[in-house]
Amino acid sequence: MTLGSALRSSSSGLHAERMRLDVVSANIANANSVSTPGKEAYRRKIVVLEPTDEGPRIERIVDDPSDLRAVTEPDNPLADAEGKVYYSNVNPVLEMVNMMSATRAYEANVAAFNSTKGMMMAALNIGKV
């Protein structure tokens, strides 16, 4: 692995973790969305990463197929015939765990990038008087 490829790998990791953080933010922002007639509630998004020789790559972003959260609220005008209201399938605790994981991975990529940059700077100083 060359220093250039190490920088590209760290940069790719930074991009991937940034996308994970953006998706977690969107999931948390839409955690309390409700199904309305003709429109389903927000479904949690998941970032699928693919490992490559130059670091992780975002393969795609998919909807979480798990069931929407059904809450019995017969007085709610959005309730169905059984008195249930369907909320988003976002679990805020899970999203916080994903956010912490993405943040740690982002920080690790920043540290790796800065270490590589330091090695390149040290290499430039070899032979200087």
Side-chain angles (χ1 to χ4, degrees):
M1 177 178 267
T2 65
L3 291 177
S5 65
L7 286 175
R8 278 192 297 279
S9 181
S10 295
S11 176
S12 175
L14 288 169
H15 177 70
E17 299 307 328
R18 169 68 193 267
M19 179 58 73
R20 282 184 61 202
L21 287 169
D22 287 347
V23 168
V24 166
S25 297
N27 287 342
I28 291 172
N30 292 295
N32 288 324
S33 70
V34 180
S35 291
T36 59
K39 187 175 180 188
E40 188 176 60
Y42 178 83
R43 287 202 171 267
R44 177 177 175 257
K45 307 282 187 239
I46 302 169
V47 176
V48 178
L49 300 178
E50 175 185 23
T52 66
D53 291 339
E54 295 188 352
R57 186 180 73 84
I58 300 167
E59 184 178 332
R60 63 185 187 277
I61 298 173
V62 297
D63 287 344
D64 184 349
S66 65
D67 293 334
L68 296 174
R69 186 169 40 102
V71 178
T72 303
E73 296 178 0
D75 296 334
N76 191 324
L78 297 175
D80 64 4
E82 297 174 358
K84 292 184 178 178
V85 177
Y86 293 92
Y87 287 91
S88 171
N89 60 354
V90 174
N91 179 345
V93 174
L94 178 62
E95 295 306 319
M96 292 302 290
V97 170
N98 284 337
M99 185 172 66
M100 289 172 31
S101 169
T103 301
R104 297 279 167 93
Y106 189 90
E107 290 170 350
N109 279 299
V110 168
F113 187 91
N114 285 335
S115 293
T116 305
K117 187 174 129 188
M119 286 189 272
M120 292 175 94
M121 295 303 290
L124 290 174
N125 288 329
I126 292 175
K128 276 190 175 179
V129 181

